[in-house]
């Protein structure tokens, strides 16, 4: 979002499919996003499967959101996002206690607990809900630096990530993250970027 080249999604059919990535019973998803003024009100950032129907990592009605199942169902943050503006969004889930957190630009925006999900989750796409080759909740706008981890980021990890967009959260002081926890990294920018 600062020095790289983002990918642009047309809101019609653009999305990324990849072989399923199993993150076990914890995850963090992070992405820089900038959505269009014509974007739909519900857009998947990352497509998740696991316990049906999946923990959908989304933007819903201009807020960071996630489908958590059970009594919580859809949960949204408190910050109203504006179109044509870059945001660093982060979603975390810890299946050991059912805790969810969502961050906007390194700041905790929502947290709640829902124990409906306890089994492993798999991620298999970016920018849409892809069910039997039928696309819905298609993202419209630009996206960069999508990361999927099999560990939960702390508040300080999320803040470090936002303040240091050219570094991984593993570079932050005092973090418990290891590079091995990074399961998928789509920088979505042109050119060679070292480890990216």
């Amino acid at each position: 979002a600062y020095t790289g080249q983002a990918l642009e999604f047309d809101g019609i059919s653009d999305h990324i499919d990849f072989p399923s990535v199993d993150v076990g019973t914890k995850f963090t998803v992070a992405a820089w996003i900038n959505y269009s003024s014509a974007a739909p009100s519900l857009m998947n950032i990352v497509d998740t499967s696991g316990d049906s129907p999946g923990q959908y990592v989304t933007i819903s009605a201009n807020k960071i959101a996630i489908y958590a199942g059970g009594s919580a169902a859809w949960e949204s943050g408190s910050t109203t996002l504006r179109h044509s503006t870059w945001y660093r969004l982060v979603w975390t889930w810890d299946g050991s206690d059912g805790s969810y957190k969502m961050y906007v630009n390194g700041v905790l925006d929502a947290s709640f607990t829902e124990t409906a999900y306890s089994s492993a989750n798999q991620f298999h796409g970016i920018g849409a809900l892809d069910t039997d080759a039928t696309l819905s909740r298609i993202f419209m706008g630009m996206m960069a630096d999508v990361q999927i981890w099999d560990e939960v980021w702390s508040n300080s990890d999320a803040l470090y990530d936002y303040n240091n967009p050219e570094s991984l959260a593993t570079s932050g002081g005092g973090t418990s993250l290891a590079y091995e926890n990074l399961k998928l990294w789509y920088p979505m920018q042109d050119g060679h970027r070292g480890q990216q």
Side-chain angles (χ1 to χ4, degrees), residues 20-149:
S20 291
V21 174
D22 191 338
V23 292
T25 57
K26 295 181 180 181
F27 68 70
T28 296
V29 173
W32 280 100
I33 64 96
N34 180 332
Y35 63 92
S36 165
S37 61
S41 63
L42 181 59
M43 298 177 286
N44 272 29
I45 303 304
V46 175
D47 196 4
T48 316
S49 65
D51 285 324
S52 180
Q55 299 190 69
Y56 302 127
V57 174
T58 68
I59 296 171
S60 177
N62 298 313
K63 294 183 178 182
I64 187 172
I66 193 167
Y67 183 85
S71 60
W74 286 98
E75 291 286 334
S76 298
S78 57
T79 301
T80 299
L81 308 176
R82 298 185 310 269
H83 65 80
S84 306
T85 303
W86 280 106
Y87 293 97
R88 183 59 161 175
L89 304 182
V90 176
W91 299 257
T92 71
W93 171 66
D94 187 339
S96 66
D97 62 7
S99 62
Y100 290 81
K101 292 184 179 181
M102 296 181 284
Y103 299 84
V104 176
N105 291 345
V107 176
L108 183 64
D109 196 52
S111 63
F112 62 97
T113 300
E114 173 54 64
T115 58
Y117 287 100
S118 60
S119 65
N121 279 268
Q122 294 181 337
F123 294 91
H124 52 82
I126 295 172
L129 172 62
D130 187 357
T131 306
D132 297 327
T134 301
L135 297 178
S136 61
R137 301 180 189 160
I138 303 171
F139 182 78
M140 184 177 193
M142 294 177 285
M143 199 181 307
D145 194 15
V146 176
Q147 300 175 22
I148 298 174
W149 299 71

Side-chain angles (χ1 to χ4, degrees), residues 1-20:
Y2 288 90
T3 61
Q5 300 292 317
L7 288 187
E8 188 166 358
F9 295 76
D10 65 6
I12 300 169
S13 62
D14 288 350
H15 67 290
I16 296 172
D17 287 325
F18 50 80
S20 291

